[in-house]
């Protein structure tokens, strides 16, 4: 049996997207890893399944390239919104995830690209919501990387945007060894469910430069929930305004932490090619 798919990306964060609203789709972790292998498979950061939902227009299920299931993915939500755009009666889509219900609007939709805005909901800032393994101030975590008396990175923020994030502020993000430090923090005992790790340089109050290590995927070109977490962390620290551009390796997203406490993410969608999974 084969299954049609679209290969899509949001700022280089790439996905294989499968429509499973009519026929169930439940690949084993080993199969996901095989498809996700960039040397021998299709290659992707995440595998996305669009399923039926009693609470929304669709349910989005997310597998990382290592075969693990995660709660949500911001860049993938924009891609799914583009995919479902023709089904939206009032141009607003309700997309449910393991991380909660989101609302999306497609602002532009061409045959191979588009722009979408997603209401990611309220950031979760209590230590139990991240989650952390112990009670700790999520604005300034007691966490250091490197020598105790001269740490390379320290005192990050913790934010959940439906999935957990640990945000370090640094002087020069280009000098960070994202792979070494990100993999170390991802598996730190403080984060019982693992964590996505962001390294952020404040350019000015309207511009943040971020690089990311994604839990279960490694270094990616962009992370939508990570960009949201970055803006929330910077605003909480007084380092940025509540709306700013977050520039990642793959390009910029506009993030706004609105007065109703919801975080709004706006950015591009691109279709790369179509194919069939065997």
């Amino acid at each position: 049996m084969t299954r049609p798919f679209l290969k899509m990306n949001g700022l280089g964060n790439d996905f294989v997207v499968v429509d499973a609203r009519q026929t169930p789709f439940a690949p084993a972790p080993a199969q996901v890893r095989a498809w996700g292998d960039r040397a021998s498979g299709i290659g992707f950061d995440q595998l996305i399944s669009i399923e039926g939902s009693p609470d929304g227009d669709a349910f989005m299920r997310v597998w990382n390239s290592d075969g693990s299931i995660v709660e949500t993915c911001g860049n993938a939500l924009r891609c799914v919104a583009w995919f479902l755009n023709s089904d939206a009666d009032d141009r607003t889509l309700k997309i449910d995830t393991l991380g909660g219900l989101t609302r999306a609007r497609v602002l532009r939709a061409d045959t191979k690209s588009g722009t979408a805005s997603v209401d990611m909901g309220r950031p979760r800032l209590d230590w139990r919501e991240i989650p952390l393994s112990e009670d700790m101030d999520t604005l300034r975590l007691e966490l250091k990387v490197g020598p105790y008396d001269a740490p390379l990175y320290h005192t990050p923020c913790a934010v959940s945007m439906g999935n957990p994030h640990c945000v370090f502020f640094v002087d020069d993000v280009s000098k960070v060894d994202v792979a070494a430090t990100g993999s170390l923090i991802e598996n730190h005992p403080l984060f019982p469910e693992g964590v996505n790790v962001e390294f952020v340089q404040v350019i000015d109050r309207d511009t943040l430069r971020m690089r990311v290590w994604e839990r279960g995927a490694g270094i990616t070109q962009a992370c939508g929930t990570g960009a949201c977490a970055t803006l929330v962390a910077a605003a909480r620290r007084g380092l940025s305004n509540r709306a700013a551009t977050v520039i990642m390796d793959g390009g910029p997203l506009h993030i706004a932490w609105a007065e109703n406490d919801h975080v709004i993410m706006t950015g591009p969608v691109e279709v790369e090619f179509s194919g069939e999974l065997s």
Side-chain angles (χ1 to χ4, degrees), residues 5-275:
F5 72 84
L6 280 184
K7 179 71 184 300
M8 305 183 70
N9 78 77
L11 296 177
N13 185 194
D14 62 342
F15 318 103
V16 161
V17 181
V18 174
D19 187 349
R21 288 175 290 176
Q22 300 301 322
T23 307
F25 179 66
Q31 181 64 79
V32 177
R33 290 192 293 271
W35 288 330
D37 190 291
R38 295 189 185 275
S40 59
I42 302 165
F44 52 75
D45 293 324
Q46 281 87 23
L47 171 66
I48 307 299
S49 173
I50 303 173
E51 304 171 7
S53 169
D55 301 315
D57 294 281
F59 182 92
M60 182 183 80
R61 194 174 305 277
V62 185
W63 290 264
N64 279 329
S65 56
D66 70 353
S68 61
I69 291 179
V70 291
E71 300 89 342
T72 190
C73 175
N75 286 322
L77 280 165
R78 297 200 314 278
C79 291
V80 170
W82 178 94
F83 190 100
L84 298 171
N85 183 53
S86 60
D87 298 339
D89 293 332
D90 64 357
R91 316 319 296 166
T92 298
L93 291 150
K94 291 190 292 183
I95 305 172
D96 202 5
T97 73
L98 292 176
L101 187 67
T102 62
R103 286 172 170 79
R105 286 180 63 85
V106 176
L107 308 178
R108 180 181 63 84
D110 300 327
T111 57
K112 291 289 186 180
S113 64
T115 304
S117 180
V118 181
D119 182 341
M120 299 294 294
R122 295 177 175 85
R124 301 161 197 180
L125 305 175
D126 185 88
W127 70 274
R128 288 158 291 207
E129 297 175 311
I130 305 300
L132 303 180
S133 59
E134 60 181 284
D135 186 352
M136 197 175 291
D137 179 8
T138 61
L139 182 60
R140 297 180 183 277
L141 296 183
E142 298 172 16
L143 182 63
K144 298 180 180 181
V145 178
Y148 184 82
D149 56 350
L152 296 173
Y153 316 109
H154 61 88
T155 328
C157 282
V159 181
S160 173
M161 291 302 311
N163 55 3
H165 294 269
C166 178
V167 183
F168 288 92
F169 291 95
V170 301
D171 293 331
D172 187 348
V173 74
S174 68
K175 295 182 179 179
V176 176
D177 188 337
V178 175
T181 307
S183 59
L184 177 68
I185 299 301
E186 176 191 356
N187 300 296
H188 192 282
L190 183 61
F191 305 101
E193 296 180 6
V195 74
N196 300 282
V197 188
E198 286 78 32
F199 302 92
V200 182
Q201 178 181 346
V202 178
I203 306 301
D204 55 48
R205 294 190 61 82
D206 298 313
T207 315
L208 304 169
R209 174 71 173 98
M210 184 264 276
R211 298 179 68 197
V212 61
W213 174 271
E214 288 200 57
R215 174 186 56 166
I219 294 175
T220 60
Q221 293 297 297
C223 176
T225 57
C228 294
T230 290
L231 184 280
V232 169
R236 290 185 74 202
R237 288 273 184 95
L239 301 174
S240 77
N241 297 320
R242 286 177 66 101
T245 298
V246 179
I247 303 171
M248 295 164 285
D249 290 350
L253 287 176
H254 184 267
I255 311 296
W257 191 5
E259 292 183 2
N260 67 356
D261 203 31
H262 285 220
V263 180
I264 312 300
M265 170 192 62
T266 304
V269 172
E270 182 182 14
V271 179
E272 298 178 16
F273 57 86
S274 61

